Each structure stands twice: as C-alpha cells, then as structure tokens.
Amino acid sequence: MILTSIRKKIATALIVGFLAYVPAQVSAWGTIGHRVVGQIADTYLKAKTRKAVQDILGYETLAMCANWGDFIKSDSTYNYMYNWHFVNLPAGLNKDGVYNFLETDKSISLYTKIPDLIAVLKKPSSTRDEKKLAMRMLVHLAGDLCQPMHVARKEDLGGNRVSVLWFNEKSNIHRVWDEQLIEYQQLSYTEYAKAINHASAVELYNWQNTSLKDCIFESYNICNKIYETTKPDAKLSYRYNFDWVDTLNSQLLKGGVRLAKMLNDIYG
Ligand SMILES: [Zn+2]
C-alpha cells in the first residue's frame, strides 16, 4: 500500500517535471485574442450568415472554434498546416514591395490560405467535414492576419527569437504580442470583446473594404514599428502596455470586423 503511494508520488513528480520542459508552443494570439476576434465577428454577421455558420459549426461558436487551429498543433497529422498561420516578410519593404513579394512568393502562407479556405466554404461540393475544418481555420487565420508579429521576419521566426523580459519574466516579442499584452488586460474574452467593440461607421466601412494585401501591409507596418521600438533584451512592463494597448485593441477589433465581412461575403 505504502509502496504504491510512493510510486504514485514519484510518477506525479516525473510528469510535472516533464511538463515543465515541454517548450512553449509557437502559436498566435493566445486563446483570448483569437476568441475576441471570433466574438466580435459574431456581432456583425447577417442573419443568413449566422444560420450558415451554425449549420457548419453546430453548437460551437465563432469564438470557441477560433483556437482549434492552434490546438491541433499537438497532433502531427496536422503538421501540414504549420505554414498557414503567418507570412514572413523581409525588412524594409514599401507598399509596392509588399505587394510584389506577396504576388511572387508562391509558398503556402497566411496570404495564400485565406482565399483557399473561402473557396472551400463557397464550393457546393465541399463535404461537411471539409467545411468545418475550413471554417475553424478561417476564423483562426483572420485572427493571425491582424497579429503584427505574424507578418514578421523569417530569420527570427516572427520575433520568437527576439528575447525580451516581460515584467521580469523571460519572453520574446512574438509571445508578448500573442499572449502577454492581452493577458495583462485581465479581461475574459467576452468582456474584452464588449469593451473594444466600438467602431465608427467610417472605420467599419474602411476596415471591411481593405484588401487582403492591404491587411498584411497594415500589420507589416505595425510589425516594423514593434521591431524598431522593442530591442533585444528590452525590459518590458507598464510603459510597453501604455504605448501599445490602443494598437493591440484596434487590431483585435479589425480582425473581428474583417472576419465578419469575409463570412458575410461568402453567404450573402
Ligand atoms: Zn495561428
């Protein structure tokens, strides 16, 4: 009896120890960021669109399906989706440079996959499973599209290799933007979505009529500013939040508004 309990304790200690060494997943907006985008999008759906989305997702909401694209990274069956989440752009491009890069770069990326997924959802012959996968991934990638560090440099893995301290905790710029800046706001995803979901009619019009290339160019400009102002080993804390929180919130809001536009266009 005693031996069994000791064995159990050792096994628990080993499991806990092992988990501490599993490297942090390179992901995207953390769970909250992606859900905020889905939750906001839901508020802009036309009735016809909402019905079509429910037919595909069932009880799963746009918010709750938004992280599936990251969860599946634990299953190697889905390794083929790794490059869908980002598009790496070199430094120093102007608008034409970004356009040109996107037009000539034929690799699978955030830029090429979004239209692919929309096409799957539009195609009458797509199966139910194909549509479900496409819907979940489109919701996810619409979030990644507005995360500035998802259009960042290849050589540092989108900022994953740029080490910084976040409130004295070892981190990197990518992770700060994926999770830490969002978590710092101390809001649930529903509270967050409600708090920032205030766009003027002009903003809505402009954001809904931004091409995919321009969405990427917009994220790219922000990403460049992040690189300029966030040097390796920088100690980030209160001031960083103060400097960037408006940009962060605006990107999350745009992500939701644009996702709704994509879905309304598919089912409109
Ligand atoms: Zn992602």
Side-chain angles (χ1 to χ4, degrees):
M1 226 19 211
I2 293 167
L3 254 183
T4 321
S5 130
I6 291 171
R7 261 189 217 130
K8 265 188 195 159
K9 274 182 190 155
I10 291 172
T12 310
L14 282 175
I15 290 167
V16 171
F18 170 74
L19 287 177
Y21 283 97
V22 173
Q25 181 84 52
V26 175
S27 62
W29 293 125
T31 42
I32 296 180
H34 276 290
R35 283 179 191 156
V36 168
V37 169
Q39 182 79 1
I40 289 176
D42 194 83
T43 66
Y44 295 98
L45 296 186
K46 291 176 182 164
K48 211 174 152 190
T49 310
R50 178 167 288 110
K51 167 88 176 53
V53 170
Q54 279 169 355
D55 282 348
I56 294 173
L57 292 178
Y59 290 116
E60 199 172 63
T61 58
L62 288 181
M64 290 309 287
C65 84
N67 291 293
W68 185 81
D70 278 335
F71 295 164
I72 54 168
K73 288 177 179 171
S74 306
D75 182 343
S76 58
T77 321
Y78 296 98
N79 282 355
Y80 71 97
M81 293 184 185
Y82 181 81
N83 289 320
W84 296 18
H85 300 252
F86 54 87
V87 52
N88 286 133
L89 290 164
L93 298 179
N94 59 15
K95 190 171 180 174
D96 286 345
V98 169
Y99 268 55
N100 193 36
F101 182 92
L102 294 172
E103 280 160 15
T104 49
D105 179 48
K106 295 289 171 231
S107 54
I108 291 172
S109 71
L110 182 61
Y111 175 68
T112 59
K113 279 319 291 185
I114 287 181
D116 283 357
L117 295 170
I118 290 172
V120 172
L121 290 169
K122 276 184 171 170
K123 201 166 126 190
S125 61
S126 297
T127 66
R128 202 180 174 76
D129 284 349
E130 284 167 344
K131 282 183 188 167
K132 192 166 186 180
L133 185 147
M135 179 64 74
R136 284 164 152 180
M137 288 310 293
L138 182 63
V139 174
H140 183 87
L141 298 190
D144 286 346
L145 180 64
C146 60
Q147 207 288 42
M149 297 314 292
H150 276 245
V151 300
R153 319 271 185 266
K154 192 177 190 172
E155 56 273 21
D156 62 24
L157 302 179
N160 272 291
R161 286 191 181 146
V162 181
S163 304
V164 293
L165 286 176
W166 176 255
F167 287 90
N168 290 324
E169 186 192 327
K170 279 188 180 174
S171 187
N172 62 68
I173 324 183
H174 191 99
R175 184 167 165 223
V176 166
W177 275 84
D178 264 355
E179 298 165 12
Q180 287 163 316
L181 205 44
I182 293 180
E183 283 164 8
Y184 184 73
Q185 313 311 318
Q186 295 284 305
L187 295 166
S188 70
Y189 79 88
T190 50
E191 289 168 340
Y192 210 133
K194 213 170 167 190
I196 66 169
N197 194 1
H198 305 286
S200 69
V202 174
E203 282 170 332
L204 283 180
Y205 179 84
N206 288 335
W207 295 343
Q208 287 167 345
N209 291 287
T210 309
S211 69
L212 184 54
K213 279 189 193 121
D214 279 336
C215 291
I216 289 173
F217 180 59
E218 189 181 81
S219 286
Y220 177 74
N221 279 331
I222 299 169
C223 152
N224 287 337
K225 279 190 204 128
I226 294 172
Y227 275 114
E228 274 164 35
T229 55
T230 321
K231 295 299 173 199
D233 300 320
K235 292 181 176 175
L236 311 180
S237 64
Y238 305 105
R239 178 70 203 208
Y240 199 78
N241 173 67
F242 176 68
D243 288 342
W244 287 107
V245 68
D246 290 345
T247 306
L248 168 73
N249 292 344
S250 159
Q251 286 303 103
L252 290 167
L253 177 54
K254 284 182 213 166
V257 168
R258 287 170 178 160
L259 171 60
K261 170 78 162 98
M262 290 180 210
L263 295 172
N264 284 329
D265 282 351
I266 295 170
Y267 302 106

